[in-house]
Amino acid sequence: MKRARACRLGISAAVLSIAALIALAVGAASAVTVLAGNLVFEISGHTSPRALPSDHPAPAGFHGSASVATKDGSHIPAALGTEILVDRHIRLDTTGLKTCTLGQLEASTPSQAMAACGDALLGKGTSAAQVEFPESAPFDATGPLFAFNGPATGGGGYGGGGYNQQLYYVYANVPLPTALVAVGTVSKAGGRYGYKISISIPPIAGGAGSFEGAEFTINRRWTYRGRQHSFLNAECVSGHIYAQVEVSFRDGGGLKGKIVNPCQPLPG
């Protein structure tokens, strides 16, 4: 009898966060392959703009995509969580941006999620997974992927000693319509890194899942009290942007890697 498998679309939040950071660091449309044991990540993306000031953060956006597979064609292990360290020359700004809560998104359709939390949207894209139920042939499930700004807690969030939440919403027919929300916690880091993003991936239907691919765009800008704001802001001081990514899996495995890629500093 085949081992029961349930769609764990939540892995897309973790993998896509990796893709987002690598896309930001690479700053080019070329693909990047990351090998980790039996896992193969294919990642591509580009920032806009690639050239950044060397003496102050400037608004930036990116579009990235990612896919994951195994070398031997076996089922991809279910993700438990992801921890991402982000270069200290990247700034996240949510000043005046609306927030969304987990309760507003749970058991909602995409249109309901946007109606409730559209003002808190950080980025959006699509996610795909392979689903295999017992005694059934595998099939693909695709659906929208949204990232929303969550509440700040204890000390001012991005700008203080507390933390902010990010809510990753995915939706697909598996075969019944299913919504999943993964919670990311953004806190301050130290040294080379400015932020730590920890994403907890909830179990779905008690089964293992199989993420296949995703694409995502972040370019959220808004006006608050007469001033323009951008969620993502970056500067290029040393000619390089750094990130560190660690993913843990429910089978006890994991991967960890550092990304060092060039950026183009603009004269001050």
Side-chain angles (χ1 to χ4, degrees), residues 18-39:
I18 298 171
L21 288 175
I22 295 177
L24 176 64
V26 172
S30 58
V32 175
T33 300
V34 179
L35 303 177
N38 192 40
L39 292 176

Side-chain angles (χ1 to χ4, degrees), residues 53-144:
S54 60
D55 57 355
H56 67 276
F62 73 80
H63 175 82
S65 63
S67 63
V68 61
T70 55
K71 294 179 182 178
D72 61 6
S74 62
H75 179 61
I76 300 165
L80 177 64
T82 305
E83 183 176 279
I84 306 159
L85 296 175
V86 183
D87 194 295
R88 62 190 175 92
H89 295 112
I90 295 173
R91 302 287 189 273
L92 304 180
D93 179 16
T94 55
T95 303
L97 189 63
K98 299 293 185 181
T99 61
C100 183
T101 65
L102 186 62
Q104 291 176 283
L105 295 174
E106 290 180 321
S108 65
T109 65
S111 60
Q112 290 170 337
M114 286 300 296
C117 297
D119 289 341
L121 186 70
L122 298 175
K124 60 183 178 179
T126 58
S127 177
Q130 186 182 76
V131 184
E132 185 178 6
F133 293 113
E135 306 303 326
S136 300
F139 63 93
D140 292 333
T142 61

